[in-house]
Every structure is written in structure tokens, then in C-alpha cells.
Amino acid sequence: MHKRAEIKSKVVEMLQGSSAFSGNVYKSRYLPINKSDFPAASVYCPEDSSEIAASGEHYNRSAKVAIMIYCKGYDASEAGDDSGQRDIDSELDDLTSSVEEIFFSPWQTLEGTVYRMHLINTRYMVDTKSDDIIGVATMEFNAEYKDSLI
């Protein structure tokens, strides 16, 4: 198994252990997620890089890990919400906080899968064009690991 696949599998496993997504965690950026499955998360690696270590004994490699979080809510600025949903900003904040609690540590190693993993950035987007207001947060992490020279 390639290291990227191992990293994705470990991230998915750790997120599925969280109550935030009720098991709705997927290992793909392309998997269509039904609104009925929200909140949900998808995990993928958009890029990776490598360089030969100064010692020449191994590669220092890193893989970006993106966790996309999907949820439904309502616009808090609209009066009279009767959907029973939370406002979209609060929902996104709580879900990203749940992910941060799992992965936001300078010593995060994904249980030994990587040397370290740290948060790079989080981007938020809200789609108000459909019947449901959909919130999406993309959290990018950098997972660093060592790989032997071939």
C-alpha cells in the first residue's frame, strides 16, 4: 500500500471514531454524498512532495491531506427559521473544532503512520443556491514522513 493510501485510511479510521460525523466519513473527493448523510466528511490527498534528506539515506516526504466537511444549516441572519437546524456558521465551527481536537497537535503522528501532521489552513464556503443551505469547510493538513531510497 502506498503511504498516501495508508495516511488516508488512518485519517478516515480516526474520524469514524468521532461522534461528529456519525460514521459518514469517506475516502474520496469524488464520492457523491447525499444531503441526508450530513454532517459528513471526505478525505483525500491533493498533492505530495519529496526531497532527499541531507544524510542521503532517505527521502523526506510530505503529503497534503484534505478533509472536506459538509453540513446543512440555515442563515442566522434570516428570521423565523423553522427547519430545526442550527445556523450554518455554528455548525461548521463545531465540526472543524471536532476535527482539530483529533488532529491539531504538533505531535500528531496518526498512531505512528507519519513523523508529524499539522494543520496548514481551513477554508469555508456556504452554498445558498439550493433549498438547503450547505456549508463546506476544507481543512488541509501536511503529513510528513520518511521513505527509504530505492
Side-chain angles (χ1 to χ4, degrees), residues 82-97:
D82 60 0
S83 67
Q85 298 175 358
R86 297 181 64 213
D87 75 272
I88 198 70
D89 288 327
S90 295
E91 187 71 14
L92 282 172
D93 288 344
D94 287 352
L95 290 168
T96 55
S97 291

Side-chain angles (χ1 to χ4, degrees), residues 5-132:
E6 187 179 347
I7 291 167
K8 284 189 295 189
S9 293
K10 182 53 74 174
V11 169
V12 167
E13 176 186 321
M14 292 174 78
L15 285 172
Q16 285 178 330
S18 163
S19 61
F21 300 104
S22 303
N24 296 323
V25 182
Y26 306 94
K27 195 184 340 178
S28 171
R29 76 180 97 197
Y30 299 110
L31 182 68
I33 299 171
N34 295 319
K35 291 179 193 175
S36 62
D37 291 338
F38 289 175
S42 63
V43 178
Y44 64 95
C45 293
E47 66 182 68
D48 64 343
S49 61
S50 64
E51 64 180 35
I52 296 177
S55 67
E57 297 175 1
H58 61 271
Y59 284 110
N60 288 327
R61 300 195 68 173
S62 65
K64 275 198 181 149
V65 178
I67 301 172
M68 292 188 74
I69 297 167
Y70 302 89
C71 65
K72 291 189 291 190
Y74 69 92
D75 183 348
S77 66
E78 293 181 6
D81 173 69
D82 60 0
S83 67
Q85 298 175 358
R86 297 181 64 213
D87 75 272
I88 198 70
D89 288 327
S90 295
E91 187 71 14
L92 282 172
D93 288 344
D94 287 352
L95 290 168
T96 55
S97 291
S98 295
V99 172
E100 287 175 357
E101 287 175 17
I102 298 168
F103 299 111
F104 194 58
S105 162
W107 306 280
Q108 177 58 259
T109 65
L110 301 179
E111 299 175 349
T113 305
V114 298
Y115 172 68
R116 90 176 139 222
M117 184 166 138
H118 60 276
L119 181 65
I120 300 169
N121 63 51
T122 304
R123 290 185 307 278
Y124 299 91
M125 182 184 78
V126 175
D127 177 7
T128 59
K129 295 177 186 168
S130 64
D131 292 340
D132 293 308

